[in-house]
Amino acid sequence: MLSNPALSELVIRAFNDIFVDCRDGEITMRKLDFWANVCNAINYSDLSPAKTEAFDSLEVIMIERNFNSPLFVKYLTTKLSEALDIADNPPRLAQNLACLQKTFNQIPVMRDVIFNNHFDDLSLTINAWFIQEINFQSKKISAIAVELGERSPNATKKYERKTSDKIQCNLTVDQLSLFFKAADLSNIISARSLSAIFQSVAPHLSTPHRPEISHGSLRAKSYSVEERDKSMLLDMMTRLTEQIKNL
């Protein structure tokens, strides 16, 4: 325990709350069994300061025994946060998080052993934290990728087209966005993503009021669809249907 004074203090305080200061309610067989198990594990530990690459012996002992104290949850999440690469590198952070989660889940948890049955299992709480952190980093990666794509001079040049070379559509940008989104969802057209469709078609299209259409504006409009645009597009599709019938 000397190798981890911070966690040792937390464990001893939890023990004293029950058996010394009597601040944790009635002493039950569950509490006795839990702490007898912990004491036995500490006494007969292999004394190795590091049981895994990410967690030391005392941490592993308490994880194995479902020490689901909110203070231990805070201790673990703080430790995991500090273990991440401090550089502002979201892909590296997401990778490190996934590795830490895998290491944590590989520690076997003992059945029918729990610190407090009024709290969620430790593994559920910590995995929920991992999921939130990984989702957050994934969103940061996506946002950075989009920003870099829009700022790239090469990408801008690649999609530049003269207005005279473009197809003019008698639809608004909102209606074009709705049309391609519906076509994608119904598998009439397909690509790796809806954004990829917008990137491919935007350089070749114009409207009577918008000689230049960016894929970013199409993507932005696809998030909020107005009923008026739906109605007008459905009217145009009805005309198109009649035209197909007459061919």
Side-chain angles (χ1 to χ4, degrees), residues 184-202:
D184 176 55
L185 291 173
S186 57
N187 291 323
I188 294 175
I189 58 177
S190 62
R192 68 179 185 274
S193 66
L194 182 59
S195 292
I197 294 173
F198 290 148
Q199 286 183 347
S200 298
V201 301

Side-chain angles (χ1 to χ4, degrees), residues 100-184:
L100 285 170
Q101 184 181 25
K102 182 178 180 181
T103 303
F104 174 80
N105 286 326
Q106 285 176 335
I107 299 173
V109 178
M110 300 178 67
R111 293 181 59 185
D112 303 324
V113 178
I114 188 170
F115 168 70
N116 191 323
N117 53 15
H118 294 296
F119 299 134
D120 286 336
D121 285 351
L122 178 67
S123 60
L124 290 176
T125 305
I126 298 300
N127 273 293
W129 180 86
F130 273 120
I131 291 169
Q132 295 260 350
E133 288 295 310
I134 291 171
N135 285 340
F136 174 71
Q137 295 301 333
S138 297
K139 288 177 182 178
K140 284 180 67 176
I141 293 169
S142 299
I144 290 171
V146 169
E147 185 178 354
L148 290 175
E150 291 180 348
R151 288 183 179 182
S152 171
N154 293 332
T156 304
K157 290 180 180 178
K158 181 178 179 181
Y159 293 112
E160 280 182 353
R161 294 288 186 280
K162 293 181 180 178
T163 303
S164 58
D165 297 332
K166 297 182 179 183
I167 298 172
Q168 180 170 302
C169 299
N170 292 319
L171 299 172
T172 65
V173 174
D174 299 65
Q175 292 160 5
L176 280 171
S177 173
L178 176 59
F179 172 80
F180 285 112
K181 184 175 184 178
D184 176 55

Side-chain angles (χ1 to χ4, degrees), residues 59-105:
E59 290 165 346
V60 171
I61 286 172
M62 303 314 293
I63 292 169
E64 287 174 338
R65 284 151 186 81
N66 200 1
F67 184 42
N68 59 345
S69 161
L71 293 176
F72 187 49
V73 170
K74 183 178 180 181
Y75 167 90
L76 280 179
T77 54
T78 301
K79 172 191 172 72
L80 292 168
S81 297
E82 292 173 351
L84 300 175
D85 191 348
I86 61 173
D88 188 14
N89 187 339
R92 176 74 177 275
L93 285 173
Q95 183 181 10
N96 288 352
L97 276 166
C99 290
L100 285 170
Q101 184 181 25
K102 182 178 180 181
T103 303
F104 174 80
N105 286 326

Side-chain angles (χ1 to χ4, degrees), residues 174 178 181 221-230:
D174 299 65
L178 176 59
K181 184 175 184 178
K221 297 296 184 182
S222 69
Y223 295 131
S224 57
V225 179
E226 295 186 4
E227 290 300 321
R228 179 174 176 276
D229 290 316
K230 280 187 183 180

